[in-house]
């Protein structure tokens, strides 16, 4: 029901409103990837553009390939991601409180002007919201379900990597502060983590979060 409500608020008339904020940079960067068939380097006005990492460009370029070069196709990415962010928020709410509270929280979020607005913009903010929320939910799940937490820590590394590939170091700072607060709050509780899980998490973060940066460095040097 919450997802249906959010769908009604997010999807109608996606391409109707004019281009806002920094949408132009993402639109041009994603369009250039498709036109040039170069999915490594985004371009803005014909020049290499490294203001943001590549994940948002990749997702919008995929949407362009599927639905054509339209504003609605670019904004579709944020709208779909908003549904995932909403789902992650409800999951986090279930873990922190209970199902009823989580559902109420989901309804409040789905009808918040800021959430709906950024869910209808072709930018990276909603994607960052997803990874930040999901990182907190995964970290909390690792505490709560110690007997089945073998995949949570590696998954956390991958989520941090996706966040870094979306908007750089801020993707580590925001959920990182929340996780530090969680560790302090539950400092007397043993966090079920093994060296193998930690190393796998670091490996996943390195590949997912830093792989594109490493390739750019090898091809273009340190300037970008």
């Amino acid at each position: 029901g919450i997802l249906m409500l959010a769908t009604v608020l997010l999807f109608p008339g996606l391409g109707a409103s004019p281009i806002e904020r920094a949408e132009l940079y993402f639109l041009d960067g994603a369009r250039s990837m498709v036109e040039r068939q170069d999915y490594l380097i985004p371009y803005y006005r014909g020049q290499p553009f490294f203001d943001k990492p590549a994940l948002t460009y990749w997702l919008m370029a995929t949407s362009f390939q599927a639905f054509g070069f339209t504003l609605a196709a670019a904004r579709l990415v944020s709208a779909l991601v908003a549904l995932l962010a909403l789902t992650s928020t409800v999951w986090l709410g279930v873990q922190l409180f209970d199902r009823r509270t989580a559902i109420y929280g989901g309804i409040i979020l789905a009808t918040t002007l800021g959430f709906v607005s950024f869910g209808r913009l072709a930018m990276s903010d909603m994607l960052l919201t997803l990874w930040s929320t999901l990182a907190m939910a995964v970290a909390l799940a690792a505490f709560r379900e110690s007997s089945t937490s073998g995949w949570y820590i590696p998954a956390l590394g991958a989520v941090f990597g996706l966040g870094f590939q979306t908007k750089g170091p801020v993707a580590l700072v925001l959920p990182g502060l929340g996780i530090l607060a969680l560790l302090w709050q539950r400092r007397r509780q043993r966090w079920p983590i093994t060296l193998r899980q930690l190393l796998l998490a670091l490996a996943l973060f390195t590949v997912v979060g830093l792989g594109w940066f490493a390739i750019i460095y090898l091809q273009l040097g340190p300037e970008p």
Side-chain angles (χ1 to χ4, degrees):
I2 299 175
L3 293 180
M4 287 296 296
L5 172 63
T7 298
V8 170
L9 294 173
L10 289 167
F11 286 85
L14 265 179
S17 59
I19 295 174
E20 299 181 30
R21 300 175 182 263
E23 285 188 300
L24 186 60
Y25 302 110
F26 291 99
L27 292 167
D28 203 32
R31 178 191 57 80
S32 73
M33 285 185 168
V34 178
E35 291 183 344
R36 294 171 177 265
Q37 289 297 292
D38 179 359
Y39 294 92
L40 180 64
I41 302 173
Y43 285 78
Y44 175 64
R45 293 184 176 179
Q47 298 297 320
F49 187 69
F50 296 105
D51 189 57
K52 293 290 186 296
L55 182 57
T56 307
Y57 300 120
W58 289 336
L59 294 176
M60 289 184 185
T62 301
S63 188
F64 281 152
Q65 287 185 312
F67 304 108
F69 291 112
T70 67
L71 187 54
R75 289 173 172 171
L76 179 63
V77 174
S78 287
L80 291 173
V81 167
L83 296 182
L84 295 176
L86 182 59
T87 303
S88 299
T89 300
V90 172
W91 181 34
L92 180 60
V94 168
Q95 296 184 80
L96 287 173
F97 304 104
D98 52 60
R99 182 178 177 83
R100 183 180 181 182
T101 304
I103 290 174
Y104 285 153
I107 292 172
I108 292 171
L109 179 62
T111 55
T112 299
L113 179 61
F115 180 80
V116 175
S117 297
F118 278 93
R120 293 171 56 85
L121 292 178
M123 294 166 55
S124 60
D125 299 81
M126 189 53 67
L127 199 59
L128 177 65
T129 300
L130 168 62
W131 305 133
S132 299
T133 307
L134 190 57
M136 283 301 306
V138 171
L140 189 59
F143 268 107
R144 287 173 53 86
E145 303 179 30
S146 58
S147 61
T148 59
S149 62
W151 66 273
Y152 285 125
I153 303 303
L156 185 59
V159 171
F160 272 130
L162 289 166
F164 201 90
Q165 191 56 250
T166 297
K167 216 163 184 177
V170 68
L172 307 183
V173 174
L174 295 177
L177 290 173
I179 291 172
L180 286 175
L182 179 65
L183 288 170
W184 174 255
Q185 182 189 55
R186 306 193 178 197
R187 57 191 178 277
R188 293 183 176 85
Q189 178 182 345
R190 180 178 174 273
W191 195 5
I193 181 173
T194 65
L195 179 60
R196 180 176 178 274
Q197 291 168 356
L198 182 60
L199 291 176
L200 183 55
L202 290 173
L204 287 170
F205 171 78
T206 300
V207 172
V208 175
L210 304 181
W212 176 76
F213 293 91
I215 295 172
I216 291 293
Y217 176 82
L218 291 174
Q219 291 205 4
L220 302 177
E223 185 177 350

